[in-house]
Amino acid sequence: MRVRAQRQPKSQHVVDELSARAESRDGREKEGTACLSAWKLEFGGAAFAPGPGMMNEGFRELFYGRAADPAATPPVTALPSLRELKETHSDKSTIDRRDAGRLNARQATVQRDCQDWYAEATKVFVAGTEIGDLIRSEVPTSDEYGTPGTPAPTPTP
């Protein structure tokens, strides 16, 4: 497009504003949309091919998708639109957040149950008894477990 814009001074300012330097998905989508608009409005759409193998239809299909055509030779497979792919991604992210929340809630329940068990066990088996001392020395009472083979941290009363 830049080479052709050099011969079309009225299009030069449009092409100068195009880039492909975005660092986010949304930024790349905006840049691609701007390129499609420039391609359509400044360069005549599908009639213009900026380079070998670079066709307007193929670039548009990335954004808007393509219907399957099994009767074509070779058969054409369906290509989902960018909007459909983003929606599917968003749906899966929502499911992941929901499941992570459920997992965190269950982990909190397990942790609370373990703390309750420890509190009851140390009431029933007092310090100075064999079982009481065993519980206090072997059951970890913090979230920091250290490396395997190292002694558990000393519980604080």
Side-chain angles (χ1 to χ4, degrees):
M1 283 186 185
R2 293 192 192 286
V3 172
R4 184 158 177 192
Q6 289 174 351
R7 295 188 305 258
Q8 292 178 283
K10 65 182 174 101
S11 300
Q12 184 70 41
H13 61 281
V14 173
V15 174
D16 286 345
E17 295 298 318
L18 295 176
S19 75
R21 295 183 184 96
E23 294 184 15
S24 68
R25 289 184 181 130
D26 288 336
R28 285 190 288 276
E29 182 181 353
K30 287 177 184 174
E31 289 175 345
T33 302
C35 183
L36 272 175
S37 293
W39 201 331
K40 176 176 69 176
L41 298 174
E42 297 293 320
F43 299 101
F48 172 62
M54 300 171 80
M55 305 301 288
N56 182 276
E57 185 62 29
F59 195 60
R60 283 185 59 77
E61 285 176 350
L62 293 175
F63 286 86
Y64 301 106
R66 170 184 65 217
D69 185 2
T73 305
V76 175
T77 58
L79 180 68
S81 71
L82 182 61
R83 172 73 53 209
E84 292 168 325
L85 291 171
K86 286 172 72 175
E87 184 175 340
T88 300
H89 181 266
S90 180
D91 291 349
K92 290 183 182 199
S93 293
T94 298
I95 291 167
D96 183 55
R97 285 190 302 273
R98 180 189 63 210
D99 290 346
R102 289 176 178 168
L103 178 62
N104 288 338
R106 288 184 179 149
Q107 286 175 329
T109 300
V110 168
Q111 183 174 359
R112 200 169 39 254
D113 288 349
C114 289
Q115 291 168 347
D116 291 347
W117 174 87
Y118 185 83
E120 289 299 316
T122 54
K123 283 180 190 173
V124 172
F125 302 103
V126 296
T129 64
E130 182 181 353
I131 295 176
D133 291 343
L134 182 65
I135 290 171
R136 285 170 179 77
S137 67
E138 296 297 321
V139 176
T141 57
S142 76
D143 291 341
E144 297 177 20
Y145 299 109
T147 57
T150 60
T154 307
T156 56

